[in-house]
Amino acid sequence: MPVTSGGGTEVAPVGRRTQQERRSRTQTLLLDATVECLAEVGWSGTSTTEVARRAGVSRGAQQHHYPTKMELVDAAVEHLLERQRQAYEAAFAELPPERHNIEGALDLLWDVFRSPPARALLELAVASRTDAELRALCSDLNDRVLQLILDTFEQLFPRTHLPDDSIPTALRTVYAVYVGLSVQNALDDDVSGHQRAVHDQFKSLARLLIPDPDADARDTRHEAGPQGTGPGDSH
Amino acid sequence: MPVTSGGGTEVAPVGRRTQQERRSRTQTLLLDATVECLAEVGWSGTSTTEVARRAGVSRGAQQHHYPTKMELVDAAVEHLLERQRQAYEAAFAELPPERHNIEGALDLLWDVFRSPPARALLELAVASRTDAELRALCSDLNDRVLQLILDTFEQLFPRTHLPDDSIPTALRTVYAVYVGLSVQNALDDDVSGHQRAVHDQFKSLARLLIPDPDADARDTRHEAGPQGTGPGDSH
DNA sequence: ACAAACAAGCATGCAAGCCTGCATGTAAGT
DNA sequence: ACTTACATGCAGGCTTGCATGCTTGTTTGT
């Protein structure tokens, strides 16, 4: 497992590198370029030629590591998910203590959904509807992202264990809102501020349901109490 | 292949039509085919050739009416929006009286969002993010759809006049949820039922905020939620 | 009313461009 | 020497827009 340092555009002098280093470097270059390409020119604009160009490698090198376009995209998705998870956790860790709460977490999540990598994922998700091959790669993408969010949140708010029954639908509602907002945000970048307004509303609600970790020690401890995390609380 | 025009009106597939009729017919064929194409094979799969093939007209005819691909798509969007609005109103009118309420309306809206035309719009919305030309056509698409929904709902629930201030964000929240759900639905067609669960939750909430028009005489709280129509209940 | 002239609808072929995958050849590491 | 990483050229397929020619409807002159 190559553990190259994150994301940098470092081009060290091309001295003598081990095969593993060469391999790893080229692959990272290619995968980053793929994500960037998806985010900037969309799925239909993402060609292996363009990816290779952005990565600064030859088409031959690209084909050597990822013989087909699908293998390239497949690897890029894994690359992307792992990188996003790390970025989110790191960002949360660096958050000032007073924002170590659900609101801060949702703000970060919103940032994630507006980031280029997330837009790359949206491109893939939408495109995979009509592309059988791509669909095979993205079929479980929804659940994976959902699971990623769930895991991270549980890790960040270990004591806020909502009843297992209420989590799925509630979380999925939140997820749906974020996806919907991100689609619109991808279009107009929220020049009108509407998306922000919706998001603010959502944060307010979440704050009511998930108190700050610091304050929750003496308060919420009921097992089945907080039934609705999402907008709906009936049923 | 040619139909002899000598003998007057025969059992030809098409008799003598006025130019306006020919024109209108071919255009409708093309626009419907464009929407169908977008819905079935996505933006990247929608080529003028494929549209012409599906419409059953020649490429020349297509180019005659819509010289460039963008003009074709532009016309298709207008065609689509108008058609969807009519379809939604007609569907609501045919709804059994006992479902002439907000829940029935939302069910229909959910059907709309899952329909092929809506998926065509989603394709365009996502693609226009990275396509400058397309973006020019779709820049106000969000607001237009939102306005369409708003108009229709006001027409269907004339007495449910929510305070003007609360409508925008609340409606946009609902809209975001539907967009988000439709993205996911486009992927897996809700084989798991999660999207339906989220939608059900949403309907329950809406029913609390917007009572049945018929039954609101006995309901005392039809003015209850001026501040929170969406999931968020004010701050 | 008829026929010629005109315009509009429609069909087909072509050129330029791009994308993908392959196949061959070269350089670098083991 | 031998494998791996990398570079470049080629072939087939597809898309878009244009140009040319044919068919059908409409108009106009007599």
Side-chain angles (χ1 to χ4, degrees), chain B residues 32-182:
Chain B
D32 283 341
T34 304
V35 174
E36 175 191 307
C37 202
L38 283 169
E40 285 186 17
V41 295
W43 167 252
S44 62
T46 296
S47 66
T48 58
T49 307
E50 177 65 12
V51 169
R53 197 189 61 77
R54 286 172 181 254
V57 308
S58 69
R59 283 207 56 232
Q62 172 259 309
Q63 286 216 18
H64 177 70
H65 292 283
Y66 307 102
T68 133
K69 185 179 179 181
M70 278 305 149
E71 297 178 64
L72 174 65
V73 173
D74 189 20
V77 170
E78 302 301 323
H79 183 69
L80 185 159
L81 286 180
E82 177 57 21
R83 185 160 285 198
Q84 281 299 97
R85 191 186 60 76
Q86 291 176 357
Y88 183 75
E89 287 187 2
F92 189 84
E94 290 176 6
L95 217 56
E98 69 271 18
R99 287 183 53 76
H100 261 252
N101 51 22
I102 185 63
E103 194 171 1
L106 288 182
D107 276 337
L108 286 181
L109 192 60
W110 179 223
D111 286 340
V112 168
F113 268 87
R114 286 182 301 173
S115 69
R119 296 185 171 179
L121 277 186
L122 182 63
E123 289 285 333
L124 292 177
V126 173
S128 67
R129 180 180 71 89
T130 55
D131 189 308
E133 274 186 301
L134 198 57
R135 193 185 181 95
L137 300 184
C138 300
S139 62
D140 58 344
L141 203 149
N142 238 328
D143 290 330
R144 288 185 66 181
V145 173
L146 217 40
Q147 192 62 39
L148 220 58
I149 297 175
L150 184 59
D151 288 349
T152 309
F153 268 72
E154 277 210 347
Q155 188 174 338
L156 298 178
F157 304 99
R159 289 183 302 182
T160 306
H161 41 270
L162 301 169
D164 290 4
D165 296 359
S166 77
I167 285 183
T169 303
L171 181 63
R172 283 175 193 278
T173 302
V174 176
Y175 181 61
V177 171
Y178 275 86
V179 170
L181 283 180
S182 69

Side-chain angles (χ1 to χ4, degrees), chain A residues 170-185:
Chain A
L171 181 63
R172 284 175 192 277
T173 302
V174 176
Y175 181 61
V177 172
Y178 275 86
V179 171
L181 284 180
S182 71
V183 170
Q184 300 173 58
N185 191 276

